[in-house]
Amino acid sequence: MNEGPLLLHVPNMPEHVTYSWLAMAILIGLSLVARLTLKRSAPTGVQNLLETIVGGLENYVEEIMGPEGKHYLALIGTLFLFILVCNLQGLVPGFDSPTANINTTLALALVSFTATHYIGLRRHGLGYIKHFFGPMWVLAPLMLIIESISHLARILSLSIRLFGNMIAKHILLLVLFFLFPYILQVPILGLGLLVAFVQAGVFALLTMLYLAGSIEEAHIGGEHH
């Protein structure tokens, strides 16, 4: 959803795909600039910015998941930064926010869902599947249905939460802008920035919680060796 004509338009390509590629190009471009200007001491410019961001993300991940969380920093950090850039694009006139499209948020939710179970299986092997059957084999069929629905609901939760909040943000900012075009411009922009950061953080947080659950030893009822 956008508030005006878009600056970028690729024939036969949906706008959310175009601006998703733009978000990726921005992140890759910043990474390349930092790599080409890399300094081991007294970092400046883009390198300093990216080191600050990565350091903050690393502390955030380890605070939620513990020391083992650093192994999943690349996944969590990529999701957070991509969602954040997509969210922020919607605040720039002539640009669109890909996360205001359900197709984008559903794809991100599927990445989180797939990574969670892949890491769980890689960590625990086939023993990971045991938690779907519960602690009592007599209730295994019922628990399998319940656990399957619970895990599949995560896809809807992640995708619809992000999509809904971004759509609501667009509508709210648009209404406030037309009601108070010359009074609330700075507060409106501040509100948009807040929503962009909060929603990226919430998506990353939920992904970390799901990952933490998939690698937990007690999660499968036994000790991992």
Side-chain angles (χ1 to χ4, degrees):
M1 179 179 180
N2 51 286
E3 288 78 21
L6 299 177
L7 294 178
L8 296 179
H9 178 71
V10 179
N12 301 320
M13 181 178 290
E15 279 75 13
H16 69 276
V17 176
T18 301
Y19 284 89
S20 293
W21 279 98
L22 176 62
M24 288 187 284
I26 291 172
L27 291 172
I28 293 172
L30 289 174
S31 300
L32 290 176
V33 170
R35 179 65 182 88
L36 294 174
T37 59
L38 187 63
K39 297 180 180 178
R40 293 185 179 276
S41 60
T44 59
V46 176
Q47 180 185 348
N48 191 32
L49 172 64
L50 293 182
E51 285 189 3
T52 301
I53 293 174
V54 172
L57 284 172
E58 184 176 7
N59 292 333
Y60 182 45
V61 171
E62 290 190 6
E63 182 179 343
I64 301 299
M65 299 183 65
E68 193 171 0
K70 63 182 179 181
H71 299 301
Y72 311 105
L73 176 61
L75 171 64
I76 302 300
T78 300
L79 285 172
F80 174 81
L81 291 175
F82 177 75
I83 293 172
L84 178 61
V85 172
C86 287
N87 292 349
L88 293 177
Q89 283 180 169
L91 299 176
V92 181
F95 286 76
D96 192 22
S97 176
T99 44
N101 186 291
I102 188 63
N103 294 290
T104 304
T105 59
L106 179 58
L108 291 167
L110 288 172
V111 170
S112 174
F113 177 83
T114 303
T116 296
H117 294 295
Y118 170 77
I119 291 171
L121 284 169
R122 186 174 179 179
R123 175 68 180 271
H124 301 294
L126 293 178
Y128 174 73
I129 302 176
K130 291 181 180 179
H131 85 276
F132 285 94
F133 296 94
M136 299 177 61
W137 284 105
V138 67
L139 298 177
L142 177 62
M143 292 302 300
L144 177 62
I145 296 174
I146 294 175
E147 287 290 336
S148 297
I149 293 175
S150 173
H151 282 260
L152 289 173
R154 295 177 179 180
I155 300 176
L156 292 177
S157 175
L158 287 172
S159 59
I160 294 178
R161 177 185 287 106
L162 179 57
F163 164 70
N165 279 283
M166 295 312 298
I167 283 290
K169 187 253 315 183
H170 278 292
I171 295 174
L172 178 60
L173 295 184
L174 191 61
V175 170
L176 290 176
F177 178 79
F178 279 109
L179 290 177
F180 310 99
Y182 305 107
I183 301 176
L184 296 179
Q185 291 187 5
V186 174
I188 288 174
L189 180 60
L191 176 61
L193 287 171
L194 177 63
V195 172
F197 277 90
V198 168
Q199 291 308 314
V202 168
F203 194 101
L205 174 61
L206 290 174
T207 300
M208 283 188 284
L209 293 177
Y210 297 152
L211 281 172
S214 71
I215 63 177
E216 184 181 0
E217 303 296 348
H219 178 75
I220 62 170
E223 185 177 356
H224 176 70
H225 296 280

